[in-house]
């Protein structure tokens, strides 16, 4: 098993099923289009052509007044983040820690980007309360304006990664 950028021709997207139709449909039909348009990057944890799980990550900004009060964002109105847009694990591999492995890989991807460009951290859009609880387990906190969006500053990410 290894992490890699999604290869639309080399990775088997058709057989991926995480149990959430919207996440399956995105990987199977729209991921390649987003890659071609350079709207996102998609990383997979794969065993050869078989996709165990995936996540998408892209640039994003959040209004400063939507952040929790203790997140130091400076005087700017729009604060740069990376958006963890989607994260899913195939049903056959769920409950084995692959979701944790995917998010930790996303943290490393975010840290690498933060070493080259200015970003405050990661934003995630939780699909439901179960997903929100998963992200909160990593220290993500809900934005004030939208309860399904959560934030994790780089400083908190560093603490989790031990960097």
């Amino acid at each position: 098993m290894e992490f890699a950028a999604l290869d639309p021709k080399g990775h088997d997207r058709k057989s991926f099923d995480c149990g959430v139709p919207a996440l399956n449909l995105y990987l199977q039909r729209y991921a390649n289009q987003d890659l071609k348009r350079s709207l996102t990057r998609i990383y997979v944890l794969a065993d050869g052509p078989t996709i165990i799980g995936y996540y998408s990550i892209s640039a994003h900004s959040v209004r400063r007044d939507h952040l929790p009060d203790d997140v130091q964002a400076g005087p700017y109105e729009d604060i740069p983040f990376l958006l963890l847009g989607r994260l899913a694990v195939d049903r056959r591999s769920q409950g084995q820690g692959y979701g944790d492995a995917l998010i930790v890989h996303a943290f490393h991807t975010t840290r690498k980007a933060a070493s080259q460009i200015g970003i405050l951290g990661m934003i995630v859009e939780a699909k439901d309360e179960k997903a929100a609880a998963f992200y909160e387990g990593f220290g993500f906190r809900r934005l004030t304006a939208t309860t399904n969006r959560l934030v994790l500053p780089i400083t908190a990410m560093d603490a989790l990664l031990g960097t």
Side-chain angles (χ1 to χ4, degrees), residues 86-120:
R86 293 167 181 84
L87 186 146
V89 175
D90 188 276
R91 282 180 190 240
R92 295 165 288 193
S93 300
Q94 290 176 2
Q96 299 176 45
Y98 293 119
D100 292 0
L102 286 162
I103 201 163
V104 168
H105 189 270
F107 290 165
H108 286 291
T109 301
T110 301
R111 287 300 302 135
K112 184 176 180 182
S115 73
Q116 299 174 359
I117 60 172
I119 56 173
L120 191 62

Side-chain angles (χ1 to χ4, degrees), residues 11 30 35 43 50 55 63 67 78 81 89 94 99 101 104 107 114 117 121 133 135 142-143 151 153:
H11 289 120
Y30 301 109
L35 288 173
Y43 293 93
T50 303
Y55 70 89
R63 290 182 47 94
L67 294 170
D78 292 313
F81 284 88
V89 175
Q94 290 176 2
V104 168
F107 290 165
I117 60 172
Y135 294 118
R142 294 176 194 248
L143 296 180
V151 62

Side-chain angles (χ1 to χ4, degrees), residues 29-118:
R29 287 203 188 150
Y30 301 109
N32 192 35
Q33 294 172 29
D34 281 357
L35 288 173
K36 286 180 181 177
R37 293 182 188 123
S38 199
L39 295 175
T40 193
R41 294 292 175 253
I42 300 162
Y43 293 93
V44 297
L45 176 58
D47 187 3
T50 303
I51 298 173
I52 294 164
Y54 80 95
Y55 70 89
S56 67
I57 196 162
S58 59
H60 190 67
S61 68
V62 175
R63 290 182 47 94
R64 182 185 64 212
D65 59 348
H66 291 182
L67 294 170
D69 290 337
D70 63 335
V71 174
Q72 301 298 314
Y76 307 105
E77 188 171 314
D78 292 313
I79 310 302
F81 284 88
L82 288 186
L83 173 67
L84 183 65
R86 293 167 181 84
L87 186 146
V89 175
D90 188 276
R91 282 180 190 240
R92 295 165 288 193
S93 300
Q94 290 176 2
Q96 299 176 45
Y98 293 119
D100 292 0
L102 286 162
I103 201 163
V104 168
H105 189 270
F107 290 165
H108 286 291
T109 301
T110 301
R111 287 300 302 135
K112 184 176 180 182
S115 73
Q116 299 174 359
I117 60 172

Side-chain angles (χ1 to χ4, degrees), residues 3-14:
F3 283 98
L6 174 66
D7 176 355
K9 294 182 181 177
H11 289 120
D12 177 15
R13 296 177 292 151
K14 291 180 183 174

